[in-house]
Amino acid sequence: MRTVKEVSRITGVSVRTLHHYDAIGLLKPTRVTEAGYRMYDDTALGRLQNILLFRELRFPLKEIKAILDSPDFDPAEAIARQIGLLELQYKHIGKLLDFAREIQNKGVTTMNFDVFDVSEMEAYKAEAREKWGNTKAYQEYSQKELAREEGSDSRMAGELMTMFSELGALKQSAPDSDEVQKKISALQAFITDNYYECTREILSGLGQMYVEDERFRKNIDRAGGDGTAAFVSRAVAVYCSR
């Protein structure tokens, strides 16, 4: 059994991310000690390995959970599909590298967008979705995605602005205070759950954009009051530096 810090050390996954995976039911610890420490056994680490492989292949967290929780999930078949996708990804990156080098070396000006085609990878992903798509877990996931497409984007935008409003109410606090940093952690998790994987690198870039892009700055300041965008940017910088 390994503690959450040990799992973080050997896998490179941050403790915050492991806590988030626990909170959304994607990777629950094998047990929690009386003192509240999360402990993980080899089975849990095997699930984490599958999660990381699917993440490398750009599957959303909610979709990964639906696949792994499927009663039809076969680890041996999954790794075979993952290898197939990784090979396609490797092939795609190779073509992009060749194209970029050609431009660098020859100054090629001819437009060629074929190298950006990822339809083969998407078709392969679709096969995986179809394989595990008849389960209750996956159907629930699909229904939630459909609901999102049919109008929940505005709701999520409203929730995001509410988060900025709450941060605006803390402007008099230090950006590195526990309360502010918890809000930034929640912001990162919200973006990951509802839009795209928000890594620290991406979050750091967003923090800069909040003050450098006038549209972002105005919207955030409108939600939390003047100076909110600058305050959030400073808080994000602290969060990403830890």
Side-chain angles (χ1 to χ4, degrees):
M1 300 282 279
R2 294 177 173 86
T3 66
V4 68
K5 287 186 177 180
E6 289 173 330
V7 172
S8 176
R9 179 177 54 80
I10 65 176
T11 64
V13 179
S14 71
V15 171
R16 278 195 179 96
T17 297
L18 291 169
H19 286 177
H20 178 57
Y21 286 176
D22 181 10
I24 64 176
L26 178 59
L27 180 68
K28 305 295 290 184
T30 307
R31 70 182 182 89
V32 178
T33 68
E34 292 183 1
Y37 293 108
R38 295 170 171 85
M39 304 296 294
Y40 299 81
D41 62 8
D42 287 345
T43 299
L45 290 179
R47 182 177 173 99
L48 178 57
Q49 183 171 272
N50 260 309
I51 291 168
L52 296 179
L53 278 169
F54 277 119
R55 289 304 285 154
E56 285 294 324
L57 297 168
R58 302 296 186 265
F59 279 78
L61 293 179
K62 292 179 181 178
E63 191 167 336
I64 295 172
K65 183 178 184 303
I67 289 174
L68 296 182
D69 290 344
S70 166
D72 296 328
F73 179 72
D74 180 351
E77 182 179 1
I79 193 65
R81 289 180 179 273
Q82 288 162 346
I83 289 171
L85 267 170
L86 288 168
E87 287 175 340
L88 288 174
Q89 196 173 71
Y90 177 78
K91 178 181 175 183
H92 175 66
I93 292 173
K95 288 181 179 179
L96 287 174
L97 279 170
D98 289 342
F99 179 60
R101 285 171 178 148
E102 184 178 3
I103 293 174
Q104 182 184 50
N105 296 330
K106 299 181 181 180
V108 176
T109 57
T110 303
M111 294 296 178
N112 177 14
F113 293 97
D114 291 341
V115 294
F116 301 104
D117 183 12
V118 294
S119 58
E120 189 175 8
M121 282 190 286
E122 291 304 317
Y124 203 93
K125 284 185 182 181
E127 289 183 15
R129 294 183 177 102
E130 183 178 353
K131 167 64 182 177
W132 295 296
N134 293 321
T135 68
K136 180 180 179 182
Y138 196 93
Q139 288 169 2
E140 287 176 353
Y141 160 79
S142 299
Q143 289 168 1
K144 289 177 182 177
E145 286 301 291
L146 180 60
R148 171 178 168 175
E149 292 172 2
E150 291 179 346
S152 63
D153 280 346
S154 59
R155 174 185 57 78
M156 289 188 298
E159 291 180 13
L160 188 59
M161 288 301 106
T162 297
M163 298 182 84
F164 286 128
S165 176
E166 292 172 351
L167 279 161
L170 297 173
K171 286 199 297 286
Q172 303 308 315
S173 304
D176 62 351
S177 68
D178 288 344
E179 187 175 9
V180 172
Q181 289 299 297
K182 285 180 181 178
K183 293 288 186 184
I184 298 300
S185 179
L187 175 65
Q188 181 186 33
F190 181 85
I191 295 171
T192 293
D193 287 346
N194 294 285
Y195 294 100
Y196 46 80
E197 183 180 12
C198 186
T199 63
R200 289 202 174 209
E201 182 179 3
I202 290 174
L203 183 62
S204 178
L206 287 174
Q208 296 175 34
M209 193 181 302
Y210 291 159
V211 289
E212 294 174 358
D213 190 301
E214 186 177 3
R215 294 166 300 176
F216 276 100
R217 179 172 52 76
K218 285 184 176 180
N219 285 332
I220 293 172
D221 282 355
R222 187 179 298 118
D226 290 345
T228 298
F231 175 73
V232 172
S233 181
R234 291 195 299 273
V236 166
V238 171
Y239 180 87
C240 293
S241 69
R242 292 179 171 178

Coordinates of all heavy atoms in Angstrom, one line a residue, residues 2-4 15 25 49 68-69 73 76-77 82 88 103 111 150 155 164-165 176 184 186 211-212 220 230 234:
R2 N 0.5 2.2 -0.8 CA 1.3 3.5 -0.9 C 0.4 4.7 -0.5 O -0.8 4.7 -0.8 CB 1.8 3.6 -2.3 CG 2.8 2.6 -2.7 CD 3.3 2.8 -4.1 NE 4.4 1.9 -4.5 CZ 4.2 0.7 -4.9 NH1 3.0 0.2 -5.0 NH2 5.3 0.0 -5.2
T3 N 1.0 5.7 0.1 CA 0.3 6.9 0.5 C 0.1 7.7 -0.8 O 0.8 7.5 -1.8 CB 1.1 7.7 1.5 OG1 2.3 8.2 0.9 CG2 1.4 6.9 2.7
V4 N -0.7 8.7 -0.7 CA -1.0 9.6 -1.9 C 0.3 10.3 -2.3 O 0.5 10.5 -3.5 CB -2.1 10.6 -1.6 CG1 -1.7 11.6 -0.5 CG2 -2.6 11.3 -2.8
V15 N -0.5 15.6 -6.1 CA -1.4 15.2 -5.0 C -2.8 15.9 -5.3 O -3.8 15.2 -5.0 CB -0.8 15.6 -3.7 CG1 -1.8 15.4 -2.6 CG2 0.5 14.8 -3.4
G25 N -14.7 10.4 -8.3 CA -15.0 9.0 -8.3 C -14.2 8.3 -9.4 O -14.5 7.1 -9.7
Q49 N -2.8 3.8 -14.1 CA -2.1 3.7 -15.3 C -3.0 3.8 -16.6 O -2.7 4.4 -17.6 CB -1.3 2.3 -15.3 CG -0.4 2.1 -16.5 CD 0.4 0.9 -16.3 OE1 1.5 1.0 -15.8 NE2 -0.1 -0.3 -16.8
L68 N -13.9 2.8 -17.8 CA -13.3 2.0 -16.8 C -14.3 1.3 -15.9 O -14.1 0.2 -15.4 CB -12.3 2.8 -16.0 CG -11.1 3.3 -16.7 CD1 -10.1 4.0 -15.7 CD2 -10.3 2.2 -17.4
D69 N -15.5 2.0 -15.7 CA -16.5 1.4 -14.9 C -17.4 0.5 -15.6 O -18.3 -0.2 -15.0 CB -17.4 2.5 -14.2 CG -16.6 3.3 -13.2 OD1 -15.5 2.8 -12.7 OD2 -17.0 4.4 -12.8
F73 N -15.5 -3.8 -19.6 CA -14.1 -3.3 -19.8 C -13.1 -4.5 -19.7 O -13.2 -5.2 -18.7 CB -13.8 -2.3 -18.8 CG -12.4 -1.7 -18.9 CD1 -12.0 -0.9 -19.9 CD2 -11.4 -2.1 -17.9 CE1 -10.7 -0.4 -20.0 CE2 -10.1 -1.6 -18.0 CZ -9.8 -0.8 -19.1
A76 N -6.9 -6.1 -21.1 CA -6.1 -6.6 -22.2 C -6.5 -6.0 -23.6 O -5.6 -5.5 -24.4 CB -6.1 -8.1 -22.3
E77 N -7.8 -5.9 -23.8 CA -8.3 -5.3 -25.0 C -8.0 -3.8 -25.0 O -7.7 -3.2 -26.0 CB -9.8 -5.5 -25.2 CG -10.3 -5.0 -26.5 CD -11.8 -5.2 -26.7 OE1 -12.4 -5.8 -25.8 OE2 -12.4 -4.8 -27.7
Q82 N -5.2 1.0 -26.9 CA -4.4 2.2 -26.6 C -3.1 2.2 -27.4 O -2.6 3.2 -27.9 CB -4.0 2.2 -25.1 CG -5.3 2.5 -24.2 CD -5.1 2.1 -22.7 OE1 -4.2 1.3 -22.4 NE2 -5.9 2.6 -21.9
L88 N -0.9 5.5 -34.0 CA -1.5 6.5 -34.9 C -1.0 7.9 -34.6 O -0.7 8.7 -35.4 CB -3.0 6.4 -34.9 CG -3.6 5.1 -35.6 CD1 -5.1 5.1 -35.4 CD2 -3.3 5.1 -37.1
I103 N 9.3 23.1 -44.1 CA 9.2 24.6 -44.1 C 10.4 25.3 -43.7 O 10.9 26.3 -44.2 CB 8.0 25.0 -43.3 CG1 6.7 24.4 -43.9 CG2 7.9 26.5 -43.1 CD1 5.4 24.6 -43.0
M111 N 0.5 25.6 -49.4 CA -0.4 25.2 -48.3 C -0.7 23.7 -48.3 O -1.0 23.2 -49.4 CB -1.7 26.0 -48.3 CG -1.6 27.5 -48.1 SD -1.0 27.8 -46.4 CE -0.8 29.6 -46.5
E150 N -27.0 20.9 -25.6 CA -28.3 21.5 -25.9 C -28.6 22.8 -25.0 O -29.7 23.2 -24.9 CB -29.4 20.5 -25.6 CG -29.4 19.3 -26.6 CD -30.5 18.3 -26.3 OE1 -31.0 18.3 -25.2 OE2 -30.8 17.5 -27.2
R155 N -25.0 27.9 -18.7 CA -25.0 27.6 -17.3 C -23.6 27.5 -16.8 O -23.2 28.1 -15.7 CB -25.7 26.3 -17.0 CG -25.7 25.9 -15.6 CD -26.3 24.5 -15.3 NE -25.7 23.5 -16.1 CZ -24.6 22.9 -15.8 NH1 -23.9 23.2 -14.8 NH2 -24.1 21.9 -16.6
F164 N -15.4 33.6 -10.2 CA -14.7 34.9 -10.3 C -15.2 35.9 -9.3 O -14.5 36.7 -8.7 CB -14.6 35.4 -11.7 CG -13.7 34.7 -12.6 CD1 -14.2 34.2 -13.8 CD2 -12.4 34.5 -12.3 CE1 -13.4 33.6 -14.7 CE2 -11.6 33.8 -13.1 CZ -12.0 33.3 -14.4
S165 N -16.6 35.9 -9.1 CA -17.2 36.8 -8.2 C -16.8 36.5 -6.8 O -16.5 37.4 -6.0 CB -18.7 36.6 -8.3 OG -19.4 37.4 -7.3
D176 N -1.8 34.3 -1.7 CA -1.3 32.9 -1.3 C -2.0 32.4 -0.1 O -1.6 31.4 0.5 CB 0.2 33.0 -1.0 CG 0.6 33.9 0.1 OD1 -0.3 34.7 0.6 OD2 1.8 33.9 0.5
I184 N -8.7 28.8 -6.3 CA -7.9 28.6 -7.6 C -7.9 27.1 -7.9 O -8.1 26.8 -9.1 CB -6.5 29.2 -7.5 CG1 -6.5 30.7 -7.2 CG2 -5.7 28.9 -8.7 CD1 -7.2 31.5 -8.2
A186 N -10.2 25.0 -7.2 CA -11.5 24.7 -7.6 C -11.7 25.2 -9.1 O -12.4 24.5 -9.9 CB -12.6 25.3 -6.7
V211 N -5.4 39.2 -17.5 CA -5.1 40.6 -17.4 C -4.6 41.2 -18.7 O -4.7 42.4 -18.9 CB -4.0 40.9 -16.3 CG1 -4.5 40.6 -14.9 CG2 -2.7 40.0 -16.5
E212 N -4.0 40.4 -19.6 CA -3.5 40.9 -20.8 C -4.5 41.0 -21.9 O -4.4 41.8 -22.8 CB -2.3 39.9 -21.3 CG -1.1 40.0 -20.4 CD -0.1 39.0 -20.8 OE1 -0.3 38.2 -21.8 OE2 1.0 38.9 -20.1
I220 N -14.2 39.5 -16.2 CA -13.8 39.1 -14.8 C -14.0 40.2 -13.8 O -14.6 40.0 -12.7 CB -12.4 38.5 -14.7 CG1 -12.3 37.2 -15.6 CG2 -12.0 38.2 -13.3 CD1 -10.9 36.7 -15.7
A230 N -6.8 41.1 -12.1 CA -5.4 41.2 -11.6 C -5.1 40.4 -10.4 O -4.1 39.7 -10.3 CB -5.0 42.7 -11.4
R234 N -2.6 37.1 -10.0 CA -1.6 36.9 -9.0 C -1.7 35.6 -8.2 O -0.8 34.9 -8.0 CB -1.6 38.1 -8.1 CG -1.1 39.4 -8.7 CD -0.8 40.5 -7.6 NE -1.9 40.8 -6.8 CZ -2.8 41.7 -7.1 NH1 -2.8 42.4 -8.2 NH2 -3.8 41.9 -6.3

